[in-house]
Amino acid sequence: MVPKLRLTTRIRQQVSRVAGELAGVSIVLACLAVSGLAQEPAVHYWHQGIMPPGAIGSRQLQRGGPLAGFFQPVEIKAPQGVSISLAVADHFLPPQEAGAGTMYPWSAGGSRVGLLIGSVYRLRVTNIPRAEGVEIFPTIEVIDRTFAPVDQQVRFAIPVEIAQQDLELAMEGKFVTRVIYLEDPHNALPVRNSESQSWFEVTPGHDPLAVADELGRPVAILRMGARVPDQGPDPNFYFGSPAWVKYPPRTAAQAKPVRETAPARPAAAPAAPAAPAAKQP
Amino acid sequence: MAIILLGVLILCSCRGNAPPTTNTWSPSFNPQPTTTAPNPVVDPQGGYPGSGLNDRPADDQAGYAVVPAEYIAPQPQPQPQVQAYTAAPIDGPCIMGMPGMEAGVPVPYTAAGPWIPPGIVPPWPADEYLRDGGNVGPPVAVGKNGELLGLQMEDTVARYNTLDGRTLVEPSNKVDLYSPRFNAVRQVVDAEVDQQRHRASGIALPVKPVMPRTSEPVALNAQNLRAVRDIGTNPAGQLRARVTHATLDSELLPRAFDNGFRPFENVSVIRSGIYLGSDAPVLARGSQAAIAWGSAEGVHVILDERTAAALVAKQKLQETYAIDSAPNPRLRIVKAASTPVAEPGDEVSFTIRFDNVGNQPIGSVQIIDSLTTRLEYVPDSAQCSLKARFSTQPNEGESLVVRCVLSDPLPVGKGGVFRFRCIVR
């Protein structure tokens, strides 16, 4: 016969109390640990600019917020005469010449489209000045959105500029990455933007996304160059041809002339009063 | 029981850094939009029912066109009525981006405008707005020598002297302008940046020892020269020119004052200095003026050019006003902007209304506005309804501090308007 262990009531109470205390401490520690893991700083530092197109936007969507399915207005700018085509159903649309019918002062032309956040859009750039016949296939990835007033979303579209210098570098085989960021107004440059968008140069070895994150909030990435992709039925080249929305171009009333006034400086101090002339005898 | 609770808690609170479901480092990585399937509860207008977030721009509704990203289904079959999801023509091509979305891409909810994260004080997000006015940092004070201490960018204050010799500072309300500005960071790399080229450094010729005790040092060091990556010359991205000024202050003679009130100034507090309750929504549209003053300042009774205070007499039905003998100097300033939104290059007019709402005259009234970095003062644009002198002074943000100094003391119940224009950089 197996002897039956019988605990006294006092021992059972002590064991229950110790177990309860341990459980309570465990719950508190588990809550702290889980809450600590759930803290996500509002930066992109764990991303890198060299990540493949679409990776950063996809990770951005996983962070939640009103990003998924939002068509972020984007204004694509290019030098005068350059033709730009967007892909639809794994085919490029007929090219549209930049600058036709627009009077936007920052560039010769521009077109405004709505792009999904997290998707990658393949463009075809042709009719490049001094390089007719050459085609460049940039990609645009929108990784964040703006929260413009209800009736001002298209007006404050994110400008994505395809500069002539970038096109020439891409034709030389270089890989150009432009991270467009929303400037922090407290760290803004005290200069007035001219015809082209202000940009900083980041040397190889540095992460342009991290640099842009220090200066503001990255919202879009433009990549171009490095190699000529194989065109064909491969849908990966078009990244699935995600849907996009076309907005009407800027009208003449919306376009503003470039101001030529000089920057405001303090007015010159009034000239010192001239010394009184000596009295003539 | 405790173990069960612990397990449930851990399983229910796992919003940590979840690993991505796809291998984002794979070369064949193909990002998929998150709109993987049409939401069956999307309303015909494209918003989520009951969410209150269906706020597509007015001009978008008027002129936008959804460009179809057509997907050719393997077997032709009649397409469902996709207009409820896509706002595309029914007889047109289906807009979609990938297989599995034959019904179209759901028109998303646009959370701009009314939507802000809970618990956040608008305007939000702050990096899309320019703020000017108020007293952002530590309170602005007057030093021993009369200088202003603590005046920072975006501050708008008024200083004045009282009859008893004090110098007081009164901040204005804040004005917010929606004016995002975008810049870019560019990086140019070579496709051969990761390649290491090794080339022959030469032919190693062994040299025989001339003497037994002589040893030749290594004549040739076969060092593989690694190809240096293409370091692009990086021209200066920005040329920041600083112009040193010979003097800090410059006085400008007052110009003519435009007596006509502009549309954004057509509120009672700007016209006459009397704050009405109906002004609050107009001012609150672009500022926080609605909370800058309370109802106690709504009606003022002036007797003998001194503010009267109500004598509380419970034995009478009416209120009796008498002159308050206690000195209570006070200046109220209200700031308003001509527009709540501005693009870089736009011109914005600022109007500052100042009133002596105290019970004694004040003197040496100065209205000081330290402009933020992205606001550029338009030269000679300052004007005042009273006789005043204007001056400018550089601030730490490479913008200007605009100053309006009234020439005469400001009597009780009197006020004026100070205007100037700025260009958004």
Side-chain angles (χ1 to χ4, degrees), chain B residues 215-261:
Chain B
S215 60
E216 289 288 336
V218 178
L220 186 61
N221 184 9
Q223 179 180 6
N224 294 327
L225 298 180
R226 187 172 58 182
V228 179
R229 61 190 175 190
D230 187 1
I231 301 176
T233 57
N234 304 318
Q238 289 291 333
L239 176 60
R240 178 179 297 180
R242 294 177 180 270
V243 179
T244 303
H245 307 283
T247 60
L248 293 182
D249 288 281
S250 62
E251 293 189 354
L252 305 176
L253 295 178
R255 299 173 63 87
F257 181 73
D258 185 7
N259 285 325
F261 287 98

Side-chain angles (χ1 to χ4, degrees), chain B residues 190-215:
Chain B
D190 199 325
E192 301 175 352
V193 66
D194 291 330
Q195 292 185 1
Q196 295 183 355
R197 296 176 179 175
H198 297 274
R199 61 184 181 185
S201 58
I203 301 175
L205 296 176
V207 180
K208 295 180 180 179
V210 180
M211 296 179 66
R213 60 180 179 87
T214 302
S215 60

